Amino acid sequence: MPNINLSNIQKNYGGGSPNAVENLNLEIGDGEFMCLLGPSGCGKTTTLRMISGLEHPTGGKITIGDRVVDSVSDGIFVPPEKRELGLVFQSYALWPHLSIENNVDFGLRLRKIPRAERESRTTEVMEKMGIEKYRKRYPSELSGGQQQRVALARMLAVNPGVLLLDEPLSNLDARLRLEMRAELKRIHEEFNTTIVFVTHDQWEAMTLATKIGVMSDGELQQLGTPDEIYGAPANRFVAEFVGSPPINIIQLADDEAGGLSLWAMQFLTRRYAKIDSLGSLGIRPETVHVAAHEIDVPDDSFKARSRVTGVLPTGGSWIIELEVAGRKIFSVTSELPSVHAGDEVYFWVRPGDLHLFDIDGNRAPQADLVLTEVGLVK
Amino acid sequence: MSNGLLEREKSEPRPEPKGIEPQVGAGKRFAYKLKIALREPTTIVGILAAILFTYLIIVPIITMLSDAMMVQYGDERRADQNFGELTLYYLHRVFASPLSVDVFWRPLGNTLSIAIGAIFFALIIGGTMAWLLSRTNLWGRKWFATALIVPYMLPAWTFALAWTNLFKNRKVGGQAGWLEALGFEPPDWLSYGQIPITIVLALHYAPFVILLFGNALRRFDSQLEDSARVLGARRFLVTWRVVLPLMKPSLVSATILVFAKCLGEFGVAYVLGMPVQYEVLATSLYRNISSRQTGVAAVLAGAIILIGVISLLIDARLVKEGKKFVTVGSKGSMNRLSQLGKWRLPATIGAGLVFFVSVVLPLGTLFLSTIMRFPGVFEASNFTLDFWIGQNLDTVALRQGILFTPEFWAAAWNTLWIVGLAAVTSGILGLLVGYVVVRTPVKFVGSFLRQVTFFPYLVPGIAFAVAYLSLFAVQRGPVPALYGTAAILVLAFIAEQMPYASRAGISAMMQLGKDPEEAAQVAGAGWWKRMTRVVIPIQKGSLTTGVLLPFISGVKGLSLVVILAVPGTNVLTTYSLQLVDYGYDQAANAAVLMVAAIAFFGTLLGQKLTKSNLAEGLGG
């Protein structure tokens, strides 16, 4: 199974538009399940299409395995039909004039595989995808989830080393999506392919990927495992894009932000050496704890008095809406909260749960944060 | 795991600064672009098509316009200049000389008054019918919805022939008209000229209004009316203040498109206007071509094109502005039918009457006239099939029924193969244009193709024919003089039909989207395989439409062929026009009925094949 390498890839659609992809370097390892995650228009689909050869970079080089498939400066271009990839479209793009069977064996026919082998291979793939019973039907007679399976089977039939998926689950309803997610994970293991998966849905990315590349405005923001992306976001964008409800951000040294900002500054001044370089503070909702009395708040935690403005059940967990000096802070808890709207409470956060960002929005070195006040005094 | 995860390598300098890369790099870069642009035949095909259409569409018109500005052969003395010299003689002659009244100004006035009258009545008839069909509980709505469109599927001058059959008087020879046979001699104003032309055109274009206006009405959200009613507006006020303003764009569009069509209308004015020397621009143009006034004809054709272009530009602008407030029913929109109550029966009878006058009466008249010796006499002995299958008849020429006349079959065969070949070609070219427009990475090739193939839409057929005459009357370079051959007809038909063909092709390719083809590409299919295995099989249906529509409109078309056809390349329409000229009314009617039958059943067949409403496609 080949690995894919993108180096200094740039894409501009012309007409004075900004670069759709800007100086992108990405290494997708052999057998990896890589998710490109980002909001719409961030360049993730463009990137996928450039790997497939359907879109052409305006600069840079793409290598699949040991074959250079795109190199603008060397004038090398390998057309999509010669790249031996699989690509599943968001719209599935099944051929409406062909039966399911013929959709699946299309690639095998092109490769002039002998009839017997072709049939056994087609049947095998269709069985694996659970669409064998529909083989004589036409795409328009199948449901969305079934069409999705056909689209996958069509690509898997030719056993591509790399499978590219462009938002393949976004047209499915919630239950089917769950099912297909499991299916994709199984395919990844069973067919032993490298998968590149484009999505704007963070849960999809989190649950499926072995590695996630977060993109925004044509640039790669962070590349890492799902836990790294969530636990140590490289910048404000990643922190705010991943996580639901979204991370609480407290702007530091911001007069507008009022009391909360001041308290945060006070708290950090005693613990952080390069306080002037800091721009903002991020707190994941599930690390925000609520205590009815100050006595219940552990020492050394970042805390503030706040008022509960709402308790919203979300099924299995609760979102507690807090207001501190005119600012909203969200807390998520999996235990039935004992507080009610209107209560005056304390919220507190362990210093280790704070995400610090510098003035440019990049992650500040968390190691510089001293966890206890005592440590600094020494 | 902190900043190290960022792969952006901000600090690392790029190999070369932007823009000032060494020459070798730039060359390779260009090679890369070229490789992508030319990797697939799409761009090449596009460039070839662009050249072809430039030659078939732009060059003839330019040649014609230059003819209008240069002294033509035979005019040296009158223009007092040498052959081929630049001259304003023709412009002067058409617009400012004493002759200009007869050549241009009076025909222009006639054209305008006919167009305005036709638009007025077409809007009243078509508008009422459209409302009845799309918003009320009229009896037999579905049936009427198709039946009332029929006049538009037939050639316009079918109605003109029917009119003369009914109303003609002693002014022209041939058989007597029905009214005359019944003992009533119709006055000239009822038989020929402005009034009959206006009525015939109004009846012919009313279906066009039904299609355009009816479509807009159907999409109109009843809740908009309801809101006004709830606020206390009475029914009439709602119609006046809410419905009509919202319908304005479609009304304006219908008006201007009917106007543009009247501008190039030749057959009706020729049949009904000639006997009283009532001329419109198209017939004036025809007369000048017949008398070899090439320069004058070129000026006239240019003037017609100009008026056509201006009116369609106005339409484009008005519709663009109008689009802003067109309400297309969104979620929860509804189309509630008005209950006609006690008016239901009268309204249905009214619709039936329109159908009778615009379809049954003309076709019935034409058909009866072909099986009766004398019009209006309903006796068994008066009925005959001689005009269809007779032998050794007692006439000067045409001594046998039309079905035994070789010229008829020659014309029918010509119609089928000339129009058929042109239709198949333009259908395929249309799909190809659609493919290139949607797919080519070289954008300007696509947009050029889109515009050049649309251009003939702005040019009335008769003017286009003059342009073809200018280009192909003499040998030019390697291209021999095509006038008198079938080739000129085929080429002109192709060019004239390209707007419809390419529009069909573009929208079909747009609808298909890129995905199915790209899926095939990733699966390993090269260009040719993708075309033959994916694109064309999927587009079978629209290709059928793209061939059938041009075929029907070509079969019934007259204004293009009347200029370009010669006796050897007669098609059914020109053949029947000649029969009219010679006074063989029954034979002419029979030929026209055949044209009408081909057009009508062709449309029905297309509807069956594509399971769509082809009549709407004819609306363009």
mmCIF file of all heavy atoms in Angstrom, chain A residues 2-3 63-68:
data_model
loop_
_atom_site.group_PDB
_atom_site.id
_atom_site.type_symbol
_atom_site.label_atom_id
_atom_site.label_comp_id
_atom_site.label_asym_id
_atom_site.label_seq_id
_atom_site.Cartn_x
_atom_site.Cartn_y
_atom_site.Cartn_z
ATOM 1 N N PRO A 2 0.673 2.112 -0.939
ATOM 2 C CA PRO A 2 1.574 3.244 -1.076
ATOM 3 C C PRO A 2 1.263 4.350 -0.073
ATOM 4 O O PRO A 2 0.149 4.441 0.429
ATOM 5 C CB PRO A 2 1.276 3.729 -2.492
ATOM 6 C CG PRO A 2 -0.131 3.326 -2.743
ATOM 7 C CD PRO A 2 -0.396 2.113 -1.914
ATOM 8 N N ASN A 3 2.246 5.154 0.199
ATOM 9 C CA ASN A 3 1.971 6.365 0.947
ATOM 10 C C ASN A 3 1.872 7.537 -0.029
ATOM 11 O O ASN A 3 2.297 7.434 -1.182
ATOM 12 C CB ASN A 3 3.055 6.617 1.998
ATOM 13 C CG ASN A 3 4.415 6.668 1.369
ATOM 14 O OD1 ASN A 3 4.605 6.106 0.293
ATOM 15 N ND2 ASN A 3 5.346 7.328 2.017
ATOM 16 N N THR A 63 3.346 12.902 -4.823
ATOM 17 C CA THR A 63 3.905 11.574 -5.073
ATOM 18 C C THR A 63 2.981 10.523 -4.475
ATOM 19 O O THR A 63 2.518 10.683 -3.350
ATOM 20 C CB THR A 63 5.292 11.438 -4.412
ATOM 21 O OG1 THR A 63 6.003 12.645 -4.619
ATOM 22 C CG2 THR A 63 6.066 10.294 -5.012
ATOM 23 N N ILE A 64 2.697 9.496 -5.239
ATOM 24 C CA ILE A 64 1.944 8.364 -4.687
ATOM 25 C C ILE A 64 2.847 7.148 -4.795
ATOM 26 O O ILE A 64 3.272 6.768 -5.878
ATOM 27 C CB ILE A 64 0.636 8.123 -5.460
ATOM 28 C CG1 ILE A 64 -0.271 9.348 -5.360
ATOM 29 C CG2 ILE A 64 -0.077 6.885 -4.913
ATOM 30 C CD1 ILE A 64 -1.539 9.251 -6.167
ATOM 31 N N GLY A 65 3.143 6.535 -3.645
ATOM 32 C CA GLY A 65 4.129 5.466 -3.638
ATOM 33 C C GLY A 65 5.464 6.055 -4.066
ATOM 34 O O GLY A 65 5.869 7.095 -3.571
ATOM 35 N N ASP A 66 6.114 5.435 -5.049
ATOM 36 C CA ASP A 66 7.365 6.032 -5.509
ATOM 37 C C ASP A 66 7.181 6.697 -6.870
ATOM 38 O O ASP A 66 8.134 6.963 -7.588
ATOM 39 C CB ASP A 66 8.486 4.988 -5.543
ATOM 40 C CG ASP A 66 8.015 3.703 -6.178
ATOM 41 O OD1 ASP A 66 6.929 3.745 -6.816
ATOM 42 O OD2 ASP A 66 8.700 2.675 -6.034
ATOM 43 N N ARG A 67 5.902 6.968 -7.214
ATOM 44 C CA ARG A 67 5.643 7.574 -8.511
ATOM 45 C C ARG A 67 5.241 9.037 -8.338
ATOM 46 O O ARG A 67 4.317 9.356 -7.596
ATOM 47 C CB ARG A 67 4.517 6.802 -9.206
ATOM 48 C CG ARG A 67 4.239 7.267 -10.609
ATOM 49 C CD ARG A 67 3.520 6.209 -11.397
ATOM 50 N NE ARG A 67 2.167 5.980 -10.887
ATOM 51 C CZ ARG A 67 1.139 5.706 -11.672
ATOM 52 N NH1 ARG A 67 1.297 5.614 -12.977
ATOM 53 N NH2 ARG A 67 -0.051 5.494 -11.171
ATOM 54 N N VAL A 68 5.937 9.918 -9.038
ATOM 55 C CA VAL A 68 5.538 11.326 -9.033
ATOM 56 C C VAL A 68 4.341 11.449 -9.979
ATOM 57 O O VAL A 68 4.433 11.132 -11.158
ATOM 58 C CB VAL A 68 6.681 12.238 -9.521
ATOM 59 C CG1 VAL A 68 6.217 13.690 -9.585
ATOM 60 C CG2 VAL A 68 7.883 12.096 -8.614
#
